Amino acid sequence: MKTSLYTLGLLFFIACSSSQNASKEIENTGDPTKYAATITAENLKTHLYIFASDEFEGRNTGEPGQKKAIKYLKDFYVSQQIISPLGGDDYYQEVPAEFLNKNAGGAVLKDSENVLAFIKGTEKPDEIVVISAHLDHEGIKDGKIYNGADDDGSGSMAILEIAEAFKAAVKDGNGPKRSILFLHVTGEEKGLLGSKYYTENPIFPLANTVCNLNIDMIGRVDKAHEKNPNYVYVIGADKLSTELQQVSDSVNTKYTNIHLDYKYNDEDDPNRFYYRSDHYNFAKHNIPVIFYFNGTHDDYHKPTDTPDKIEYDLLAKRTRLVFYTAWEVANRKTRLVVDKTPTK
């Protein structure tokens, strides 16, 4: 990742109402718990120990390690028979150096790539749910490799597991009603550049994009939650769509029971995390977003952010939350309504 309360009675009423409404919105899509069960700590660990290994050299934008990272992502999608929306064997949206350097604040970068994979919706294929994470990190500095296991290897590998779960549903004849775009963006650490490029050069019209679920650091525990690690920070869910907030809460209550911490969702939060990851480039276009985040820790943006420090059971649980939320949004009878004015 780049360097609000009601009375108890009202909360209870809203939670019950939203849960009931959500259940009425979905029918005949199979049991999502069957597919969520394919998201495992073991699989995530296997992936992340490769993706955040020294071999990938910190995945710096445009550099050889980043090229290895995009190949790893592509090879996974090919192995799962999850297609590219670009057609054929092309899973890369090229992000030219000219664009990167124009927007990178003085950094000199080489050509880079976003990685895209796609599951077509069965009933509303033109409506797109985007699940995103950034594939890049800090590279090598002063001879030290910045592996970026949590930032954002955790989010990148979570997407692979979510994609595999949706593909399992497709094989059973329970594919999502809306299409799912799995979007791995480059250049986040340089200024949210890969997501900026995608939203300015979208593969699918932004008007057709239902929401963006963005995952950036979900493998660790911050100091505020050391005694209760069953949490995740949820940022942005209520900024543009009341329904998205309701879906997020009801899905969590029904399936995962994680403490959803809204601390950083406060408009007065001095960290301004809402503006510091790739979802913001979608929110700027009036697309509802959720940013999933574990908070910072002592290894944030340091070479010590390594895969041995990831809490894989917790990573799997948080990944399942994102999957369930995407499942709900993709299979609702009606598209999420944008009913709020963007914050300036």
Side-chain angles (χ1 to χ4, degrees):
M1 190 192 73
K2 192 181 186 298
T3 45
S4 357
L5 289 171
Y6 299 94
T7 64
L8 182 60
L10 182 59
L11 276 173
F12 179 77
F13 174 79
I14 292 174
C16 291
S17 299
S18 62
S19 180
Q20 291 171 358
N21 290 339
S23 64
K24 292 177 181 178
E25 282 279 359
I26 290 191
E27 56 185 19
N28 301 325
T29 55
D31 179 8
T33 62
K34 174 181 178 180
Y35 309 115
T38 68
I39 299 170
T40 68
E42 292 78 12
N43 288 346
L44 287 160
K45 185 174 184 177
T46 297
H47 284 306
L48 192 51
Y49 263 82
I50 298 171
F51 197 74
S53 68
D54 287 354
E55 180 184 353
F56 286 65
E57 300 176 342
R59 309 187 302 278
N60 195 11
T61 302
E63 299 300 326
Q66 182 248 299
K67 306 301 182 182
K68 293 179 181 179
I70 63 171
K71 184 179 186 302
Y72 186 85
L73 297 172
K74 173 184 174 178
D75 288 348
F76 172 82
Y77 288 118
V78 171
S79 73
Q80 295 295 314
Q81 299 182 322
I82 300 173
I83 66 171
S84 165
L86 302 172
D89 192 47
D90 184 8
Y91 286 75
Y92 303 152
Q93 180 187 39
E94 285 76 18
V95 184
E98 180 182 5
F99 174 88
L100 294 168
N101 294 324
K102 179 181 177 181
N103 293 278
V108 178
L109 304 172
K110 301 173 184 176
D111 291 344
S112 191
E113 300 85 10
N114 294 329
V115 179
L116 297 80
F118 183 68
I119 289 179
K120 187 175 181 179
T122 60
E123 295 183 15
K124 302 174 187 290
D126 293 333
E127 295 185 12
I128 315 297
V129 176
V130 178
I131 306 176
S132 65
H134 69 91
L135 62 90
D136 64 302
H137 194 55
E138 296 280 314
I140 302 174
K141 297 179 179 180
D142 298 324
K144 296 180 179 180
I145 298 174
Y146 286 63
N147 302 95
D150 191 28
D151 186 10
D152 185 27
S154 61
S156 298
M157 302 303 95
I159 292 185
L160 299 187
E161 284 290 280
I162 293 169
E164 186 174 1
F166 271 109
K167 184 63 177 181
V170 170
K171 291 178 179 178
D172 285 349
N174 293 317
K177 294 180 179 180
R178 293 176 178 82
S179 297
I180 312 288
L181 176 65
F182 306 101
L183 176 62
H184 303 262
V185 294
T186 189
E188 192 270 357
E189 302 288 3
K190 311 302 182 183
L192 317 185
L193 302 184
S195 55
K196 178 178 174 65
Y197 188 82
Y198 177 84
T199 54
E200 293 183 4
N201 302 272
I203 304 302
F204 301 100
L206 294 185
N208 293 5
T209 302
V210 175
C211 75
N212 169 228
L213 305 179
N214 182 51
I215 316 168
D216 192 350
M217 299 174 56
I218 60 167
R220 297 282 296 270
V221 175
D222 68 2
K223 290 183 178 180
H225 295 86
E226 288 176 344
K227 295 182 179 180
N228 182 18
N230 185 42
Y231 80 100
V232 68
Y233 291 108
V234 173
I235 304 172
D238 65 341
K239 302 296 187 188
L240 294 169
S241 174
T242 302
E243 287 184 340
L244 182 55
Q245 171 91 51
Q246 292 172 347
V247 166
S248 175
D249 290 344
S250 63
V251 161
N252 180 58
T253 298
K254 184 174 182 179
Y255 296 112
T256 48
N257 196 29
I258 297 173
H259 170 55
L260 304 183
D261 193 326
Y262 294 99
K263 174 183 177 180
Y264 294 131
N265 195 52
D266 190 332
E267 282 297 323
D268 295 324
D269 168 42
N271 297 284
R272 295 176 60 82
F273 286 128
Y274 176 63
Y275 306 94
R276 290 172 53 185
S277 191
D278 293 297
H279 60 280
Y280 186 60
N281 280 318
F282 288 88
K284 287 194 298 185
H285 291 275
N286 218 31
I287 296 168
V289 301
I290 300 179
F291 169 25
Y292 300 92
F293 178 48
N294 54 218
T296 59
H297 44 74
D298 289 342
D299 300 305
Y300 174 64
H301 276 204
K302 294 180 180 178
T304 49
D305 180 8
T306 50
D308 56 298
K309 296 179 180 177
I310 299 296
E311 300 199 21
Y312 289 96
D313 288 336
L314 183 57
L315 172 56
K317 191 172 186 180
R318 290 166 172 166
T319 302
R320 292 185 200 112
L321 171 63
V322 183
F323 166 74
Y324 283 125
T325 305
W327 180 278
E328 182 85 18
V329 172
N331 288 306
R332 287 166 58 87
K333 292 179 183 178
T334 56
R335 176 175 173 166
L336 290 172
V337 174
V338 178
D339 59 352
K340 294 191 175 184
T341 303
T343 300
K344 299 297 183 182

